[in-house]
Amino acid sequence: MERSLYEHAGGEEGLRRFIEIFYRGLLADPLLQPLFGEGKAGHVDNLTAFTAETFGGPDTFSARMGGFPLLIDAHRGLRIEEEQGRRFVELYMTAADQAGLPDDEPFRAALRSHVEFGTQVAVQNSHAETDDELHPLREVPRWGWT
């Protein structure tokens, strides 16, 4: 059986370390900080659980933290610009280096495709004025190696 992205990233511990570094970077970045304010209680927990579930770990985000509707609500009205989305991806990948996540090409390609797709969904949802304008994704996606 193939090892999941969750296991390859170091499980809960590895992903939490990564997300904590990433979130600190977001709050310090002048382009992205306005989207996050001074930080949101529980955001590191939510993003860690979301990433874990997406990468094949426990379904804590969907089962106990509000699931995908929470993400839709969090992004609505933010009007995220494309430049902010690109910076988000850049900081995400930089945080992966800083956190010591595996740097093998298959893992990094999956990590990048995951954050690029998620950023596209967030940008679209942040501009949606009606439910029909939301991205059609309505549940936590499951990400694999390809």
Side-chain angles (χ1 to χ4, degrees), residues 51-126:
T51 306
E53 186 172 332
T54 300
F55 285 176
D59 69 350
T60 304
F61 185 75
S62 291
R64 290 185 267 162
M65 300 176 107
F68 207 78
L70 179 73
L71 288 180
I72 291 172
D73 291 344
H75 293 108
R76 270 204 139 145
L78 288 178
R79 307 200 63 74
I80 302 167
E81 299 299 328
E82 292 297 328
E83 181 182 9
Q84 290 171 311
R86 284 190 300 274
R87 182 70 178 141
F88 188 92
V89 170
E90 180 183 322
L91 290 178
Y92 193 85
M93 298 308 292
T94 298
D97 291 336
Q98 294 170 341
L101 288 186
D103 63 359
D104 57 279
E105 182 55 35
F107 178 74
R108 288 303 176 101
L111 191 66
R112 179 173 287 281
S113 69
H114 169 261
V115 71
E116 287 175 345
F117 176 75
T119 299
Q120 290 171 356
V121 172
V123 168
Q124 181 173 340
N125 289 348
S126 78

Side-chain angles (χ1 to χ4, degrees), residues 35 58 74 85:
L35 297 173

